[in-house]
Structure formats: C-alpha cells, structure tokens
Amino acid sequence: MLGIATGLAAPCMAAGAPVYGSAQLKYTVNATAAVSIAVNYDPTTGSIKNAVAGSILPSAAGNCSAAVAEGVNATLTFGGITPPGAGYTGCYYQNAVSVGVQSNDSLGVKIMEYLDVAPAGTAVCVFPLGAANTLAALPTASGASGNPAAYTGATCPTVNSIAGNLLAALGAATAGTGFGAAGAPAGVTTNVTATPTATTYTAGGYSLYSGTTGLSGVAFKYVGEDLQMNVNGTAASGAATSVVTFAVIPQ
C-alpha cells in the first residue's frame, strides 16, 4: 500500500508547447466599373430634369433655339442653329451631362470622352464643372451666363473661368439598344440602357477624369459638364446627329 501511494504522488509532466501548420490563400479581386448618365441634370439631386427644359446660352442672340424637355432618352436637343456670316455660332448647354462612376479599382479609373463623327463646319466644346479632375457626391452646377463666346476655329472659349476642350471624332458609333449607360444609382433618375450606342475606345479623346477620389465600388461619384455646339457657314443645312461616348476605363 505504501508503494502505491508513493507512485500516485509523483508530479505530472508539463504540457507541451503548441505546434502549428498553415495554408496560404491566394486570390485577386477583379476591378469593376459602372457608369450612369443623366442629361439636363439637376445639380441638387443628380437626376434628369426630364420635365423641365434646359438652358442654352447663344453666342449671338437669336441664333440658337431654346432647349426642350429631354425625357429619358439621353439626348441633348440644340434645335435650330443659325451660322453667322463669319466664324461660328456657339450654343452653350448648361448642366448638359452628369457622368456617375462606381468602381472598386484601387488604381482608379479614366473617363475618356469623344465624338463618333464631326460633320464639316461643326465643333463641340466640353466644359468640366467642379474642382479639376475630381469626382464628387453630386455633379457641380453650371455657373455660365450671358452670351458665351463661340469656338474660334482653333480653340474653344473660356466660360466662367473654365477653359473649353474640343472633342475629337474617333469613328462611327456601333448602334446599341439606345443611348445612356448601364448603372442606375438608387434614388437618381438617369438614362439607362444595357447596350448603349457608342464608339469603341482605342486611343485619343478628351480625358474628363483620371484618378481615385474615394472610389469604393459601392457609392457613385459624379462629374458634371456643360457642352457647346458650334456651327459655321460651311455646315450643310438639315437635321444632323452626333454621338458623344463616355468610356470608363479601369486603370
């Protein structure tokens, strides 16, 4: 009995230290992007003012038709434009286009803007609104007024301290199911179609935006712009159409 009791009283061995193994997980999150287009936009909401005519400022009084209520077809209607005897007539459309972007790209995105074709005697100038090369929670309101100068034949005018940029023509547009772009933020009325009419981007065009500025992949960020349609006496009379494409390109 004494021997058994002595054996039971022996100290326990200390617990061993943990031993680890691991497996590595490797993955890549793909960059995503969506774009939302609104014409004749309301700066306080970002939505289309589809029941209210926009504002078109003529370079010469009486040479530009008044704007119309655009509806939801992603169209800017300049109407009749009377060329002057020399130079260009410029018809300046305020709050013309709001471009909304949603992306998770850590390197940011580029927004390239361009025409399909530029008929003889015409020139389209774009005026980005807000802080330079910046997307914001809402598109900035136009501050233009009066009778903005027209395209000179060489350069776009500066209007309300914003230098205009001439849009290049990069080739014929491929017809989709409509105008506008896929992507509709909640609570914002935009021009939306799954397959917009557009010119495929290769190179060139005007860089409307390039950067990150808080892109999260969840919230849309916006840039607004004014557009000026310019016509001189060499432009053929009659109805004409051009398509402006906004290409959102992940970096």
Side-chain angles (χ1 to χ4, degrees):
M1 292 295 294
L2 179 60
I4 294 173
T6 301
L8 292 175
C12 296
M13 298 294 294
V19 177
Y20 298 100
S22 66
Q24 188 178 50
L25 303 179
K26 300 184 71 173
Y27 62 97
T28 300
V29 177
N30 294 327
T32 62
V35 60
S36 174
I37 302 296
V39 302
N40 186 26
Y41 68 88
D42 183 344
T44 62
T45 64
S47 292
I48 307 163
K49 292 191 293 185
N50 57 356
V52 180
S55 170
I56 295 179
L57 306 177
S59 59
N63 281 16
C64 301
S65 292
V68 300
E70 301 290 4
V72 291
N73 59 357
T75 299
L76 296 172
T77 304
F78 287 89
I81 303 174
T82 303
Y88 285 77
T89 289
C91 300
Y92 187 102
Y93 202 123
Q94 294 185 273
N95 299 325
V97 185
S98 166
V99 183
V101 177
Q102 183 186 61
S103 177
N104 69 340
D105 196 326
S106 59
L107 299 178
V109 298
K110 294 189 297 184
I111 304 175
M112 303 304 298
E113 181 178 1
Y114 47 91
L115 296 173
D116 58 341
V117 294
T122 67
V124 177
C125 297
V126 58
F127 301 81
L129 305 176
N133 200 44
T134 300
L135 299 177
L138 286 170
T140 302
S142 172
S145 60
N147 301 106
Y151 177 67
T152 65
T155 59
C156 290
T158 295
V159 179
N160 192 37
S161 301
I162 300 173
N165 300 271
L166 184 66
L167 291 186
L170 300 187
T174 299
T177 58
F179 297 92
V188 180
T189 304
T190 58
N191 301 112
V192 177
T193 182
T195 310
T197 296
T199 298
T200 300
Y201 183 73
T202 53
Y206 168 62
S207 178
L208 178 62
Y209 169 81
S210 180
T212 56
T213 59
L215 293 174
S216 65
V218 177
F220 274 81
K221 294 295 184 79
Y222 299 89
V223 58
E225 66 177 28
D226 293 342
L227 279 173
Q228 184 185 53
M229 186 73 200
N230 297 271
V231 173
N232 70 18
T234 68
S237 64
T241 300
S242 291
V243 175
V244 180
T245 296
F246 298 90
V248 178
I249 306 169
Q251 303 270 30

